[in-house]
């Protein structure tokens, strides 16, 4: 079945440093979504990527979708303490109705 | 709007007991999902539904059953709870699979402990 791997599992950075998490799917995706979960909270939608090679930006966050639509990345520039949380990718394979989540990357930002 | 509401918020069960988790959404969403979240495992899909009266198996369906008799409600049942089902359960819903209405809206979760 479809599998979505995400690395790294954990990342500790000093405030102001950059951060990147990578997502790889075993199957070609129709679309991929990114979510953020704060400690004790529920996942909250960040963005969706649909097109091959697509790049989207939200302030300090940059999201990329690979050319083959099997991988994606989230890059945060100059991290802040408010970026703390776990970031998940969720991919939906073509012809399916289900979103399979990656294992998540837990980000800690040291002030 | 309340969004996605899950009940109960917390529950402790003994091995072998049964229970039902309720998910209710007031956004007229077609698609509903049940996930479980365990440390280091991310969110794993248990069952999902693409509309009223339909259900389908996800990645980890064993030991769970679901029903979607009404469009707004998606119930997750544990017939005979096991310690391995100790987890945080999240319900999510979306209006469509693609486009601007495809993001998943999550409930606040149910923390279940099976002793």
């Amino acid at each position: 079945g479809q599998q979505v791997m995400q690395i790294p599992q954990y990342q500790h950075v000093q405030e102001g440093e950059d951060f990147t998490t990578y997502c790889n799917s075993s199957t070609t995706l129709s679309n991929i979504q990114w979510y953020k979960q704060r400690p004790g909270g529920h996942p909250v939608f960040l963005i969706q990527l649909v097109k091959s090679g697509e790049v989207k930006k939200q302030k300090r966050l940059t999201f990329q979708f690979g050319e083959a639509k099997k991988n994606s990345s989230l890059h945060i520039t100059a991290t802040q303490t408010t970026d703390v949380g776990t970031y998940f990718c969720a991919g939906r394979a073509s012809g399916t109705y289900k979103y399979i989540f990656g294992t998540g990357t837990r980000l800690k930002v040291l002030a | 709007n309340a969004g996605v509401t899950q009940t109960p918020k917390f529950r402790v069960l003994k091995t072998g007991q049964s229970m039902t988790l309720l998910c209710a959404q007031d956004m007229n969403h077609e698609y509903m999902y049940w996930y479980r979240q365990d440390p280091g495992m991310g969110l794993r899909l248990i069952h999902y539904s693409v509309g009223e009266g339909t259900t389908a198996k996800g990645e980890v369906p064993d030991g769970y059953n679901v029903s979607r008799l009404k469009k707004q409600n998606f119930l997750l049942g544990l017939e005979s709870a096991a310690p391995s089902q100790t987890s945080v359960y999240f319900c999510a819903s979306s209006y469509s699979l693609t486009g601007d209405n495809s993001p998943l809206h999550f409930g606040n979760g149910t923390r279940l402990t099976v002793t």
Side-chain angles (χ1 to χ4, degrees):
Chain A
Q2 178 190 355
Q3 290 186 325
V4 179
M5 303 301 296
Q6 202 173 339
I7 56 169
Q9 189 173 3
Y10 301 98
Q11 185 83 61
H12 294 183
V13 299
Q14 290 287 335
E15 189 174 22
E17 292 182 338
D18 293 355
F19 159 77
T20 304
T21 174
Y22 300 90
C23 184
N24 291 286
S25 170
S26 60
T27 57
T28 302
L29 301 172
S30 177
N31 56 317
I32 192 164
Q33 298 175 347
W34 284 91
Y35 292 81
K36 177 182 179 181
Q37 183 179 27
R38 295 184 184 275
H42 60 272
V44 175
F45 175 77
L46 293 176
I47 209 160
Q48 174 172 259
L49 303 169
V50 178
K51 299 177 182 176
S52 169
E54 189 170 15
V55 178
K56 286 189 175 180
K57 292 189 176 184
Q58 286 181 348
K59 297 183 181 178
R60 294 178 294 105
L61 279 62
T62 301
F63 304 83
Q64 293 188 346
F65 201 8
E67 294 290 339
K69 300 184 75 174
K70 295 183 74 173
N71 56 71
S72 183
S73 65
L74 158 60
H75 179 81
I76 302 178
T77 303
T79 55
Q80 299 175 357
T81 54
T82 53
D83 295 325
V84 165
T86 302
Y87 293 84
F88 292 97
C89 62
R92 184 177 67 83
S94 301
T96 70
Y97 301 100
K98 51 188 180 182
Y99 282 92
I100 302 300
F101 278 72
T103 46
T105 297
R106 185 175 177 183
L107 173 64
K108 287 192 174 182
V109 180
L110 307 174
Chain B
N1 285 343
V4 179
T5 303
Q6 289 185 235
T7 53
K9 290 184 172 58
F10 303 94
R11 186 73 185 269
V12 178
L13 288 178
K14 293 185 178 180
T15 297
Q17 288 185 319
S18 63
M19 78 163 295
T20 300
L21 284 68
L22 172 63
C23 176
Q25 52 89 8
D26 61 359
M27 298 173 283
N28 198 34
H29 284 178
E30 287 291 337
Y31 304 90
M32 297 189 74
Y33 305 83
W34 275 107
Y35 290 91
R36 61 176 289 175
Q37 184 172 33
D38 304 292
M41 305 287 286
L43 291 107
R44 292 182 291 170
L45 182 63
I46 305 171
H47 286 281
Y48 64 100
S49 169
V50 301
E52 181 179 313
T54 73
T55 63
K57 294 181 180 179
E59 301 172 275
V60 288
D62 294 342
Y64 306 93
N65 57 75
V66 287
S67 65
R68 185 131 179 241
L69 299 178
K70 293 183 178 181
K71 186 177 184 178
Q72 62 267 36
N73 296 335
F74 195 28
L75 280 63
L76 178 70
L78 286 74
E79 290 187 348
S80 179
S84 60
Q85 294 178 304
T86 293
S87 188
V88 179
Y89 292 85
F90 285 102
C91 175
S93 70
S94 70
Y95 186 78
S96 68
L97 288 177
T98 59
D100 294 340
N101 292 319
S102 62
L104 298 175
H105 296 255
F106 281 83
N108 288 329
T110 295
R111 186 174 296 274
L112 175 66
T113 301
V114 183
T115 62

